Amino acid sequence: MPLLVLLLNVFLLTTTTLADEENPDAWAGKWFPQPPNAADLNEKLPDSAESAAMGVIDPACDDGKSNLTLDYDPKNISHSIVHMCLDNYTHYRPNYNTEPVMRIYQIPLAYSAPHRCMSQNITYPENIPTFGPHRPLWARYGEYLYLPVQRWIHNLEHGAIVALYHPCAHEGLAKKLKSLVKSCLFRHVITTSERLTPERPFALVAWGKSMEMSVIDEDLARQFMRDNARKGPEMTHRDGQYSEQLIAAAEIVSTKDDESICPPPHTESNKV
């Protein structure tokens, strides 16, 4: 495979000048988390609801079983379309001339993503979000038939890598992506995603970064994981509590802390 050129779309979300502060309309860049006076996509909650405890199974807030229809209901047949190819699959064929795109968001160190209970809707302005509000219970690591974004955003916060593929994506390349990610680290989530485009039906996502691809360049994918895994603001290897539609639980690759990302395969010649 020819070497792919990586396009960098860098969004500087926090840098402004004094003139920008005096005249916000003059600022042409991105705002964090949104422009002044812009309507919040997510309804503001009382402080008590915004500070739901992380990883605590609470039937009144989030137990991983109740009110799932707000994000995705695995028992509702009408929701199954999110992991079925209902489009012309030929639109999603791999194109070796389509370059991968990386998006980088400079997230302030002081930013703390709120945990929102299952009584509150969560939406994201980005097509492939890399940070933001999420559910208190994160997902168990592994491969899913479908995992809603409101869950895997929390896994990103803990340093995970999320691998996304469109339901219409090339099946062989989807298998290649899954195998690659599973061989690189324990803290991974793999799921279909309707958010991907026909031009780039695959993506790797980390906290603050995403890389969308038409084909799977193994070297590029490994480098992304080595550079961006274990970079979340709340580092813990503790497995999640949400497991609806889990196909295969993640296995330890190097250590539970993923001390070695994408380690070389063990052979008789390199074992010690």
Side-chain angles (χ1 to χ4, degrees), residues 6-71:
L6 187 63
L7 299 179
L8 295 179
N9 291 335
V10 182
F11 302 107
L12 300 177
L13 304 182
T14 57
T15 304
T16 62
T17 65
L18 181 60
D20 295 327
E21 294 173 354
E22 293 175 348
N23 181 18
D25 293 337
W27 172 244
K30 292 273 186 175
W31 292 89
F32 188 96
Q34 62 187 31
N37 303 318
D40 193 345
L41 293 175
N42 298 286
E43 177 187 353
K44 179 64 177 176
L45 296 179
D47 290 341
S48 59
E50 288 280 8
S51 58
M54 179 188 81
V56 176
I57 297 177
D58 180 2
C61 177
D62 181 17
D63 62 4
K65 302 290 183 183
S66 307
N67 299 324
L68 298 183
T69 53
L70 203 59
D71 299 334

Side-chain angles (χ1 to χ4, degrees), residues 3-4 10 13 19 56 65 69 108 148 205 210 216 239 266-268:
L3 181 64
L4 299 180
V10 182
L13 304 182
V56 176
K65 302 290 183 183
T69 53
V205 191
S210 66
I216 307 302
D239 213 350
H266 291 288
T267 65
E268 292 300 322

Side-chain angles (χ1 to χ4, degrees), residues 26-228:
W27 172 244
K30 292 273 186 175
W31 292 89
F32 188 96
Q34 62 187 31
N37 303 318
D40 193 345
L41 293 175
N42 298 286
E43 177 187 353
K44 179 64 177 176
L45 296 179
D47 290 341
S48 59
E50 288 280 8
S51 58
M54 179 188 81
V56 176
I57 297 177
D58 180 2
C61 177
D62 181 17
D63 62 4
K65 302 290 183 183
S66 307
N67 299 324
L68 298 183
T69 53
L70 203 59
D71 299 334
Y72 163 72
D73 183 4
K75 298 179 181 179
N76 185 339
I77 192 170
S78 66
H79 287 199
S80 64
I81 60 174
V82 298
H83 53 76
M84 295 174 59
C85 180
L86 301 181
D87 198 356
N88 186 339
Y89 73 93
T90 61
H91 297 162
Y92 297 80
R93 285 178 176 171
N95 184 342
Y96 286 86
N97 293 319
T98 300
E99 298 166 335
V101 173
M102 182 182 289
R103 305 183 193 277
I104 303 174
Y105 298 83
Q106 301 294 343
I107 304 173
L109 293 177
Y111 174 71
S112 178
H115 298 152
R116 293 189 170 170
C117 296
M118 291 305 301
S119 59
Q120 174 65 22
N121 189 42
I122 304 176
T123 58
Y124 303 95
E126 301 84 11
N127 200 36
I128 302 178
T130 63
F131 65 94
H134 48 256
R135 300 304 178 198
L137 301 186
W138 63 98
R140 284 190 63 191
Y141 293 113
E143 178 184 352
Y144 287 78
L145 179 64
Y146 179 79
L147 181 66
V149 59
Q150 294 86 352
R151 295 287 174 184
W152 56 253
I153 287 287
H154 199 157
N155 291 74
L156 296 182
E157 191 176 39
H158 293 178
I161 293 291
V162 173
L164 307 175
Y165 63 98
H166 194 277
C168 296
H170 187 277
E171 184 177 355
L173 289 178
K175 289 181 178 178
K176 183 177 182 180
L177 178 64
K178 294 177 188 180
S179 177
L180 180 61
V181 172
K182 290 177 181 180
S183 70
C184 278
L185 73 167
F186 166 71
R187 265 176 284 188
H188 72 260
V189 167
I190 302 170
T191 178
T192 54
S193 176
E194 75 283 13
R195 293 171 170 264
L196 296 161
T197 66
E199 293 76 22
R200 296 177 179 87
F202 302 100
L204 289 173
V205 191
W207 182 257
K209 290 185 181 180
S210 66
M211 184 171 67
E212 302 163 55
M213 304 164 285
S214 178
V215 296
I216 307 302
D217 182 318
E218 293 190 22
D219 291 337
L220 196 62
R222 287 193 184 96
Q223 193 60 51
F224 180 90
M225 287 186 276
R226 287 171 177 150
D227 290 345
N228 300 296

